[in-house]
Amino acid sequence: MAKKRTTKNKAVKQKHNGAKITEWQRESQKIVEQKEEEVNIEIPQQAEFFKTPIRFGNIPVDKLPLGCDEKEQYRKIYPKISLPFQVVEKVSFGHKDLEPNQLIFGDNLHVMRSLPSNSIDLVYIDPPFFSGRNYNVVFGDQNEVRSFTDIWEGGMPGYLTWLNARLLEMKRLLKPTGSIFVHCDWHASHYIKCELDKIFGYEKFLNEIIWGYSIGGKSKDKFGRKHDIILWYRKGTGHIFNPEGAKVPRKPNSHMKLLLDSEGRQYQQKTDAKTGKIYKYYIDAGKVAEDYWTDIETLNYEDVERIGYPTQKPEKLLKRIITTASNPGDSVADFFCGGGTTPSVAQKLGRKWIVSDISKIAVSVTRDRLLRAVLGENKKEVQQSLGKVPDIMIANWGVYEVLEIVKMNEETFRNFVISAYNGRLTSSEGKIHGYKQSVPIFVGSPSQEEPVTEKEVIDFAKHIVKSKGHHQGTMIAWGFTPGARNAAQQLEVQKAIAIDFVKIQLIPIESNEFKEHITSKHPEYKNLLKFILPPEVRISTKRTANLEYEFDVSESVSLNPRGRIINVQWDFSFNGERFISTPGYSFLGMKNNKPVLKINYKFASAGKKKIACKVQDDEGGEKVEIFEMNAK
Ligand SMILES: C[S@@+](CC[C@H](N)C(=O)[O-])C[C@H]1O[C@@H](n2cnc3c(N)ncnc32)[C@H](O)[C@@H]1O
């Protein structure tokens, strides 16, 4: 749906394959209602701070962040697009009283723009590095491919502009006591540091953490590039630092003497030359880590926590960051969540979390990982050791599942229409369902069989004049009766009340008409607004040995234009309720540049098996197919 409509009778068109829209999940509203007025985040004035001798010229920190416009900030290059969230799943762990954690599928810039300011305690991001197009396009997931093609077109400045727009949003979302960790490597870290100095302020810099590891290939002509850089900034003048969260072993190899106490414990001792005071450091008590971390290795193929996500980071790394820079109950965000390391650790440490990713596979893999961590063997009982775990709300932004839209009820339909029309919702004002700027909006029935009537037009007109003194209103509906049109004309001529009609139309999802309609008015929507269908899943099974079978979904087809099947997840002990992939069958990766869609599985015992298979295409389409078989 388009963003700005001011003229009469403009059609709100929806890409749809002819199905009727009847229900919209109420929860999506909760997120949408949090939308705020546009706020410009203050960018620190640093010219004074950085007065350098003229002959050295200016160093970059006294300028605005790259790509930032003084007035519009990043809204000029990345226009604000108001689309609603579509809640596609709510995973319940039985604690309705707790605010749910959120996993969002969509472009993080737009996701963040819909979230409230000053609401997050800690942000960790591990954005794609500036290291070359193919390396970063992890899955060939179209959403990710598009995002990268755009970034790389502008080279390093393009990348930094893309990242800056997002960093500025993260700053807005952080609480005044909050802080951000930006994980990068040699490709762009120095450039990113300069931009962070401009966005957060040089004086808000806390640490450049060197995360050193050794796994991976070595270089023949230079030293091995074996460290990443994590830049830590705070938003305000104070921040959380729990040093106990970053304890490392103390190595007895420094200038201090190594001694043994009466119980045989090793310690080092130092005497202050001035005061004569003696300091004792027990080796087994460890020490707070410095800003170089060499005690955490990258994940190798055998690691139990490895889920196969190509850029997956170790939980130990996130554990150190989250424990050190947040407290239990705080909210942690990762807007490039990938395989879900941040929410997985945050959940284990009793933090609230909100995460997003532009890749459907990343979202699916993250969902699975989180569920597996919380649920017991039977996939029903919540693991007691984790305490009260909030529910998980999974929502889409900008990519809408048609089959969910058709289930909308009256209230959610209204809310969806108004949000998509870029209006503001009102809770209970009788005939007024929302406003666009100050113009009242009425939304007709979700049923296509019930057009707006003459009486509804007159009642709406009366209501807006009586309650608000307005002489202008907008009615959005599937259709309007001739009597309704007549009434609107009469009102305009006789009473100078202008009622605009905006007609919602259903047009086939695969037609170009929809895209043309939207993009002719709003080219910026081109890559963002999509309506997707689940793929058609075709499974073939072949017995290969005793209790062992080959499962193949390569004949499955994406029903989305240009869509390609790119991943399959398997749950070989489906409990009829929740899909949770069998370990090792969450993300099968690529072989010779092709997704692995054929796998082998050996059952532990013979008998009837209930199996669920979840297939994803590269346009964001996903479907779960459930079947039974007799394992022999
Ligand atoms: C380096 S990976 C993150 C890996 C993650 N830290 C982990 O441990 O699994 C970067 C992720 O950013 C996602 N991404 C790229 N552009 C994005 C965007 N505009 N919005 C949201 N996610 C994006 C990619 O899909 C990819 O999953």
Short mmCIF file of all heavy atoms in Angstrom, two decimals, residues 135 137-139 144 298-315 337-341 359 361-362 364-366 368-369 372 566-569 581-591 595-596:
data_model
loop_
_atom_site.label_atom_id
_atom_site.label_comp_id
_atom_site.label_asym_id
_atom_site.label_seq_id
_atom_site.Cartn_x
_atom_site.Cartn_y
_atom_site.Cartn_z
N TYR A 135 30.87 -13.02 -0.55
CA TYR A 135 31.14 -13.56 0.78
C TYR A 135 29.98 -13.27 1.73
O TYR A 135 29.60 -14.10 2.54
CB TYR A 135 32.42 -12.93 1.31
CG TYR A 135 32.73 -13.29 2.73
CD1 TYR A 135 33.30 -14.53 3.02
CD2 TYR A 135 32.44 -12.42 3.77
CE1 TYR A 135 33.59 -14.87 4.32
CE2 TYR A 135 32.73 -12.75 5.07
CZ TYR A 135 33.31 -13.98 5.34
OH TYR A 135 33.58 -14.32 6.63
N VAL A 137 26.79 -12.43 0.95
CA VAL A 137 25.45 -12.88 0.62
C VAL A 137 25.36 -14.34 1.05
O VAL A 137 25.69 -15.25 0.32
CB VAL A 137 25.17 -12.69 -0.88
CG1 VAL A 137 23.80 -13.18 -1.25
CG2 VAL A 137 25.31 -11.21 -1.22
N VAL A 138 24.97 -14.47 2.29
CA VAL A 138 25.11 -15.75 2.95
C VAL A 138 24.30 -16.86 2.29
O VAL A 138 24.77 -17.93 2.02
CB VAL A 138 24.73 -15.61 4.44
CG1 VAL A 138 24.86 -16.94 5.13
CG2 VAL A 138 25.61 -14.59 5.11
N PHE A 139 23.07 -16.59 2.02
CA PHE A 139 22.20 -17.66 1.56
C PHE A 139 21.66 -17.49 0.16
O PHE A 139 20.91 -18.31 -0.30
CB PHE A 139 20.98 -17.75 2.46
CG PHE A 139 21.35 -18.14 3.83
CD1 PHE A 139 21.00 -17.34 4.89
CD2 PHE A 139 22.04 -19.30 4.05
CE1 PHE A 139 21.34 -17.71 6.16
CE2 PHE A 139 22.39 -19.67 5.32
CZ PHE A 139 22.03 -18.87 6.38
N GLU A 144 18.26 -10.53 1.20
CA GLU A 144 19.61 -10.16 1.57
C GLU A 144 20.40 -9.73 0.34
O GLU A 144 21.13 -8.76 0.37
CB GLU A 144 20.29 -11.35 2.24
CG GLU A 144 21.29 -10.92 3.26
CD GLU A 144 22.23 -12.03 3.63
OE1 GLU A 144 22.01 -13.17 3.22
OE2 GLU A 144 23.19 -11.73 4.31
N THR A 298 36.73 -19.30 17.79
CA THR A 298 35.59 -19.33 16.84
C THR A 298 35.03 -20.74 16.83
O THR A 298 35.70 -21.68 17.26
CB THR A 298 36.04 -18.98 15.40
OG1 THR A 298 37.25 -19.68 15.14
CG2 THR A 298 36.24 -17.51 15.19
N LEU A 299 33.84 -20.90 16.32
CA LEU A 299 33.21 -22.22 16.36
C LEU A 299 33.83 -23.13 15.31
O LEU A 299 34.10 -22.69 14.19
CB LEU A 299 31.71 -22.09 16.09
CG LEU A 299 30.93 -21.27 17.13
CD1 LEU A 299 29.48 -21.14 16.71
CD2 LEU A 299 31.02 -21.95 18.50
N ASN A 300 34.06 -24.37 15.68
CA ASN A 300 34.55 -25.30 14.67
C ASN A 300 33.42 -26.29 14.33
O ASN A 300 32.34 -26.23 14.91
CB ASN A 300 35.82 -26.02 15.15
CG ASN A 300 35.56 -26.88 16.36
OD1 ASN A 300 34.58 -27.61 16.42
ND2 ASN A 300 36.42 -26.79 17.35
N TYR A 301 33.70 -27.16 13.38
CA TYR A 301 32.63 -28.03 12.88
C TYR A 301 32.02 -28.95 13.93
O TYR A 301 30.87 -29.34 13.84
CB TYR A 301 33.13 -28.83 11.67
CG TYR A 301 33.12 -27.96 10.44
CD1 TYR A 301 34.27 -27.31 10.03
CD2 TYR A 301 31.93 -27.74 9.74
CE1 TYR A 301 34.25 -26.47 8.93
CE2 TYR A 301 31.91 -26.89 8.64
CZ TYR A 301 33.07 -26.27 8.24
OH TYR A 301 33.02 -25.42 7.17
N GLU A 302 32.83 -29.29 14.94
CA GLU A 302 32.33 -30.25 15.94
C GLU A 302 31.55 -29.56 17.07
O GLU A 302 30.92 -30.24 17.87
CB GLU A 302 33.47 -31.04 16.57
CG GLU A 302 33.88 -32.28 15.81
CD GLU A 302 34.79 -31.94 14.65
OE1 GLU A 302 35.80 -31.28 14.92
OE2 GLU A 302 34.47 -32.30 13.51
N ASP A 303 31.63 -28.25 17.18
CA ASP A 303 31.00 -27.57 18.31
C ASP A 303 29.50 -27.88 18.39
O ASP A 303 28.81 -27.79 17.38
CB ASP A 303 31.17 -26.06 18.16
CG ASP A 303 32.43 -25.58 18.85
OD1 ASP A 303 32.60 -25.93 20.02
OD2 ASP A 303 33.22 -24.88 18.21
N VAL A 304 29.06 -28.23 19.58
CA VAL A 304 27.65 -28.60 19.76
C VAL A 304 26.74 -27.41 19.44
O VAL A 304 25.66 -27.59 18.88
CB VAL A 304 27.39 -29.03 21.22
CG1 VAL A 304 26.09 -29.80 21.34
CG2 VAL A 304 28.55 -29.80 21.77
N GLU A 305 27.20 -26.22 19.78
CA GLU A 305 26.31 -25.07 19.58
C GLU A 305 26.25 -24.63 18.11
O GLU A 305 25.43 -23.80 17.73
CB GLU A 305 26.75 -23.89 20.46
CG GLU A 305 28.02 -23.21 20.03
CD GLU A 305 28.40 -22.03 20.93
OE1 GLU A 305 28.89 -22.28 22.03
OE2 GLU A 305 28.20 -20.88 20.52
N ARG A 306 27.10 -25.19 17.29
CA ARG A 306 27.13 -24.79 15.88
C ARG A 306 25.86 -25.24 15.17
O ARG A 306 25.50 -26.41 15.20
CB ARG A 306 28.35 -25.41 15.21
CG ARG A 306 28.75 -24.70 13.96
CD ARG A 306 29.94 -25.41 13.34
NE ARG A 306 29.71 -25.50 11.90
CZ ARG A 306 30.10 -24.58 11.05
NH1 ARG A 306 30.76 -23.53 11.47
NH2 ARG A 306 29.84 -24.70 9.76
N ILE A 307 25.17 -24.29 14.54
CA ILE A 307 23.94 -24.67 13.84
C ILE A 307 24.12 -24.61 12.33
O ILE A 307 23.21 -24.87 11.58
CB ILE A 307 22.77 -23.75 14.25
CG1 ILE A 307 23.19 -22.29 14.15
CG2 ILE A 307 22.21 -24.09 15.60
CD1 ILE A 307 22.05 -21.34 14.20
N GLY A 308 25.31 -24.22 11.91
CA GLY A 308 25.58 -24.21 10.48
C GLY A 308 25.44 -22.84 9.85
O GLY A 308 25.74 -22.67 8.67
N TYR A 309 25.00 -21.84 10.60
CA TYR A 309 24.87 -20.50 10.03
C TYR A 309 26.28 -19.98 9.76
O TYR A 309 27.12 -19.92 10.66
CB TYR A 309 24.12 -19.58 11.00
CG TYR A 309 23.56 -18.36 10.31
CD1 TYR A 309 22.27 -18.37 9.79
CD2 TYR A 309 24.33 -17.23 10.14
CE1 TYR A 309 21.77 -17.27 9.13
CE2 TYR A 309 23.83 -16.13 9.47
CZ TYR A 309 22.55 -16.16 8.97
OH TYR A 309 22.05 -15.09 8.31
N PRO A 310 26.58 -19.59 8.53
CA PRO A 310 27.97 -19.33 8.15
C PRO A 310 28.72 -18.32 9.03
O PRO A 310 29.90 -18.48 9.24
CB PRO A 310 27.85 -18.78 6.73
CG PRO A 310 26.53 -19.25 6.25
CD PRO A 310 25.65 -19.41 7.42
N THR A 311 28.06 -17.30 9.51
CA THR A 311 28.80 -16.28 10.27
C THR A 311 28.49 -16.35 11.77
O THR A 311 28.66 -15.37 12.50
CB THR A 311 28.44 -14.89 9.75
OG1 THR A 311 27.01 -14.81 9.72
CG2 THR A 311 29.00 -14.63 8.38
N GLN A 312 28.02 -17.51 12.20
CA GLN A 312 27.60 -17.68 13.59
C GLN A 312 28.73 -17.37 14.59
O GLN A 312 29.85 -17.85 14.42
CB GLN A 312 27.13 -19.12 13.80
CG GLN A 312 26.53 -19.40 15.15
CD GLN A 312 26.23 -20.89 15.34
OE1 GLN A 312 26.21 -21.65 14.38
NE2 GLN A 312 26.04 -21.28 16.58
N LYS A 313 28.44 -16.60 15.60
CA LYS A 313 29.43 -16.24 16.62
C LYS A 313 29.26 -17.15 17.84
O LYS A 313 28.16 -17.62 18.11
CB LYS A 313 29.25 -14.77 17.04
CG LYS A 313 29.43 -13.79 15.88
CD LYS A 313 30.86 -13.80 15.37
CE LYS A 313 31.07 -12.92 14.15
NZ LYS A 313 30.45 -13.33 12.91
N PRO A 314 30.34 -17.35 18.61
CA PRO A 314 30.23 -18.24 19.78
C PRO A 314 29.39 -17.62 20.90
O PRO A 314 29.45 -16.41 21.13
CB PRO A 314 31.67 -18.42 20.24
CG PRO A 314 32.50 -17.50 19.44
CD PRO A 314 31.70 -16.85 18.39
N GLU A 315 28.64 -18.46 21.57
CA GLU A 315 27.79 -17.97 22.67
C GLU A 315 28.64 -17.35 23.79
O GLU A 315 28.23 -16.41 24.45
CB GLU A 315 26.94 -19.11 23.22
CG GLU A 315 25.92 -19.60 22.22
CD GLU A 315 24.62 -20.10 22.84
OE1 GLU A 315 24.57 -20.21 24.08
OE2 GLU A 315 23.67 -20.39 22.08
N CYS A 337 20.53 -10.37 13.41
CA CYS A 337 20.67 -11.49 14.36
C CYS A 337 21.21 -12.78 13.75
O CYS A 337 21.65 -13.66 14.47
CB CYS A 337 19.37 -11.74 15.09
SG CYS A 337 18.15 -12.59 14.09
N GLY A 338 21.18 -12.92 12.43
CA GLY A 338 21.74 -14.12 11.79
C GLY A 338 21.18 -15.39 12.39
O GLY A 338 19.96 -15.58 12.44
N GLY A 339 22.05 -16.25 12.87
CA GLY A 339 21.61 -17.53 13.42
C GLY A 339 21.12 -17.44 14.86
O GLY A 339 20.90 -18.47 15.50
N GLY A 340 20.97 -16.24 15.39
CA GLY A 340 20.30 -16.07 16.69
C GLY A 340 21.18 -16.24 17.92
O GLY A 340 20.67 -16.58 18.99
N THR A 341 22.48 -15.98 17.80
CA THR A 341 23.34 -16.15 18.98
C THR A 341 22.93 -15.18 20.09
O THR A 341 22.83 -15.56 21.26
CB THR A 341 24.82 -15.94 18.59
OG1 THR A 341 25.08 -16.69 17.40
CG2 THR A 341 25.76 -16.40 19.68
N SER A 359 16.88 -11.94 6.33
CA SER A 359 16.83 -13.25 5.67
C SER A 359 15.82 -14.14 6.39
O SER A 359 15.86 -14.30 7.61
CB SER A 359 18.22 -13.89 5.70
OG SER A 359 18.11 -15.29 5.66
N ILE A 361 15.65 -17.29 6.19
CA ILE A 361 16.29 -18.48 6.77
C ILE A 361 16.86 -18.12 8.14
O ILE A 361 16.72 -18.89 9.09
CB ILE A 361 17.40 -19.00 5.84
CG1 ILE A 361 16.76 -19.41 4.53
CG2 ILE A 361 18.13 -20.18 6.48
CD1 ILE A 361 17.71 -19.91 3.51
N ALA A 362 17.48 -16.95 8.23
CA ALA A 362 18.04 -16.55 9.52
C ALA A 362 16.92 -16.53 10.58
O ALA A 362 17.10 -17.01 11.70
CB ALA A 362 18.68 -15.17 9.40
N SER A 364 14.07 -18.20 10.55
CA SER A 364 13.61 -19.57 10.83
C SER A 364 14.62 -20.32 11.72
O SER A 364 14.22 -21.03 12.64
CB SER A 364 13.49 -20.36 9.53
OG SER A 364 12.31 -20.03 8.91
N VAL A 365 15.89 -20.14 11.40
CA VAL A 365 16.93 -20.83 12.17
C VAL A 365 16.95 -20.30 13.61
O VAL A 365 17.04 -21.06 14.58
CB VAL A 365 18.31 -20.63 11.47
CG1 VAL A 365 19.44 -21.03 12.39
CG2 VAL A 365 18.37 -21.42 10.18
N THR A 366 16.81 -18.99 13.75
CA THR A 366 16.79 -18.37 15.08
C THR A 366 15.60 -18.87 15.89
O THR A 366 15.72 -19.23 17.06
CB THR A 366 16.75 -16.83 14.94
OG1 THR A 366 17.93 -16.42 14.27
CG2 THR A 366 16.68 -16.15 16.29
N ASP A 368 13.97 -21.60 15.65
CA ASP A 368 14.16 -22.98 16.03
C ASP A 368 15.15 -23.13 17.19
O ASP A 368 14.94 -23.92 18.10
CB ASP A 368 14.78 -23.69 14.83
CG ASP A 368 13.81 -24.69 14.30
OD1 ASP A 368 12.65 -24.32 14.09
OD2 ASP A 368 14.24 -25.86 14.15
N ARG A 369 16.22 -22.36 17.07
CA ARG A 369 17.26 -22.44 18.09
C ARG A 369 16.72 -22.02 19.45
O ARG A 369 17.01 -22.64 20.48
CB ARG A 369 18.39 -21.50 17.67
CG ARG A 369 19.55 -21.45 18.61
CD ARG A 369 20.63 -20.61 18.00
NE ARG A 369 21.81 -20.54 18.83
CZ ARG A 369 22.90 -19.88 18.48
NH1 ARG A 369 22.94 -19.25 17.33
NH2 ARG A 369 23.93 -19.85 19.28
N ARG A 372 14.28 -24.67 20.82
CA ARG A 372 14.99 -25.88 21.26
C ARG A 372 15.65 -25.65 22.61
O ARG A 372 15.72 -26.54 23.45
CB ARG A 372 16.03 -26.27 20.21
CG ARG A 372 16.10 -27.76 20.08
CD ARG A 372 17.10 -28.24 19.07
NE ARG A 372 16.83 -27.82 17.72
CZ ARG A 372 17.77 -27.27 16.94
NH1 ARG A 372 18.97 -27.04 17.41
NH2 ARG A 372 17.50 -26.94 15.70
N ILE A 566 15.33 -22.56 -1.15
CA ILE A 566 16.73 -22.49 -0.72
C ILE A 566 17.03 -23.19 0.61
O ILE A 566 18.19 -23.31 0.98
CB ILE A 566 17.25 -21.04 -0.63
CG1 ILE A 566 16.27 -20.14 0.09
CG2 ILE A 566 17.65 -20.51 -1.98
CD1 ILE A 566 16.88 -18.83 0.48
N ASN A 567 16.03 -23.61 1.31
CA ASN A 567 16.37 -24.32 2.54
C ASN A 567 15.23 -25.24 2.97
O ASN A 567 14.06 -25.00 2.65
CB ASN A 567 16.67 -23.33 3.68
CG ASN A 567 17.27 -24.02 4.89
OD1 ASN A 567 18.08 -24.94 4.75
ND2 ASN A 567 16.88 -23.61 6.08
N VAL A 568 15.60 -26.28 3.68
CA VAL A 568 14.61 -27.18 4.26
C VAL A 568 15.05 -27.54 5.68
O VAL A 568 16.23 -27.72 5.93
CB VAL A 568 14.41 -28.44 3.37
CG1 VAL A 568 15.71 -29.17 3.14
CG2 VAL A 568 13.41 -29.41 4.01
N GLN A 569 14.07 -27.55 6.58
CA GLN A 569 14.35 -27.95 7.96
C GLN A 569 13.49 -29.17 8.26
O GLN A 569 12.34 -29.24 7.80
CB GLN A 569 13.99 -26.82 8.92
CG GLN A 569 14.76 -25.53 8.66
CD GLN A 569 14.31 -24.39 9.56
OE1 GLN A 569 13.15 -24.01 9.55
NE2 GLN A 569 15.23 -23.83 10.32
N SER A 581 13.20 -28.16 14.78
CA SER A 581 14.01 -29.03 13.93
C SER A 581 14.89 -29.96 14.76
O SER A 581 15.36 -29.61 15.84
CB SER A 581 14.85 -28.21 12.96
OG SER A 581 15.69 -27.35 13.68
N THR A 582 15.10 -31.13 14.22
CA THR A 582 16.00 -32.11 14.82
C THR A 582 17.42 -31.53 14.72
O THR A 582 17.77 -31.01 13.64
CB THR A 582 15.90 -33.43 14.02
OG1 THR A 582 14.52 -33.81 14.00
CG2 THR A 582 16.76 -34.54 14.61
N PRO A 583 18.21 -31.58 15.79
CA PRO A 583 19.56 -31.01 15.70
C PRO A 583 20.29 -31.50 14.44
O PRO A 583 20.24 -32.68 14.10
CB PRO A 583 20.24 -31.50 16.97
CG PRO A 583 19.11 -31.69 17.94
CD PRO A 583 17.94 -32.14 17.12
N GLY A 584 20.91 -30.56 13.75
CA GLY A 584 21.63 -30.91 12.52
C GLY A 584 20.76 -30.78 11.27
O GLY A 584 21.24 -30.90 10.15
N TYR A 585 19.47 -30.54 11.47
CA TYR A 585 18.56 -30.44 10.32
C TYR A 585 17.83 -29.10 10.27
O TYR A 585 16.69 -29.01 9.86
CB TYR A 585 17.56 -31.61 10.33
CG TYR A 585 18.25 -32.93 10.10
CD1 TYR A 585 18.74 -33.67 11.18
CD2 TYR A 585 18.45 -33.42 8.82
CE1 TYR A 585 19.41 -34.88 10.97
CE2 TYR A 585 19.12 -34.63 8.60
CZ TYR A 585 19.60 -35.35 9.69
OH TYR A 585 20.26 -36.53 9.48
N SER A 586 18.52 -28.05 10.75
CA SER A 586 17.92 -26.74 10.80
C SER A 586 18.34 -25.91 9.59
O SER A 586 17.56 -25.21 8.96
CB SER A 586 18.38 -26.04 12.07
OG SER A 586 17.85 -24.77 12.16
N PHE A 587 19.61 -26.01 9.28
CA PHE A 587 20.11 -25.32 8.10
C PHE A 587 21.13 -26.23 7.45
O PHE A 587 22.14 -26.59 8.05
CB PHE A 587 20.76 -23.99 8.49
CG PHE A 587 21.46 -23.35 7.34
CD1 PHE A 587 20.75 -22.98 6.22
CD2 PHE A 587 22.83 -23.16 7.35
CE1 PHE A 587 21.38 -22.42 5.12
CE2 PHE A 587 23.48 -22.61 6.26
CZ PHE A 587 22.75 -22.23 5.15
N LEU A 588 20.83 -26.63 6.23
CA LEU A 588 21.68 -27.64 5.61
C LEU A 588 22.74 -27.06 4.69
O LEU A 588 23.59 -27.76 4.17
CB LEU A 588 20.80 -28.66 4.88
CG LEU A 588 19.85 -29.35 5.87
CD1 LEU A 588 18.67 -29.94 5.19
CD2 LEU A 588 20.59 -30.40 6.69
N GLY A 589 22.67 -25.77 4.47
CA GLY A 589 23.72 -25.07 3.72
C GLY A 589 23.71 -25.33 2.23
O GLY A 589 22.72 -25.78 1.66
N MET A 590 24.83 -25.03 1.63
CA MET A 590 24.95 -25.11 0.17
C MET A 590 26.04 -26.11 -0.20
O MET A 590 27.02 -26.27 0.53
CB MET A 590 25.39 -23.75 -0.38
CG MET A 590 24.46 -22.62 -0.07
SD MET A 590 23.29 -22.46 -1.40
CE MET A 590 22.57 -20.90 -1.00
N LYS A 591 25.89 -26.74 -1.35
CA LYS A 591 26.92 -27.61 -1.90
C LYS A 591 27.02 -27.25 -3.37
O LYS A 591 25.98 -27.22 -4.06
CB LYS A 591 26.50 -29.08 -1.73
CG LYS A 591 27.66 -29.97 -1.47
CD LYS A 591 27.16 -31.37 -1.13
CE LYS A 591 28.31 -32.25 -0.74
NZ LYS A 591 27.88 -33.56 -0.39
N PRO A 595 21.51 -25.18 -2.86
CA PRO A 595 21.06 -25.56 -1.52
C PRO A 595 20.92 -27.07 -1.38
O PRO A 595 20.53 -27.74 -2.33
CB PRO A 595 19.70 -24.87 -1.39
CG PRO A 595 19.27 -24.58 -2.78
CD PRO A 595 20.51 -24.43 -3.61
N VAL A 596 21.23 -27.57 -0.20
CA VAL A 596 21.10 -29.01 0.03
C VAL A 596 19.64 -29.32 0.37
O VAL A 596 19.14 -28.94 1.43
CB VAL A 596 22.03 -29.45 1.19
CG1 VAL A 596 21.88 -30.92 1.49
CG2 VAL A 596 23.47 -29.09 0.87
#
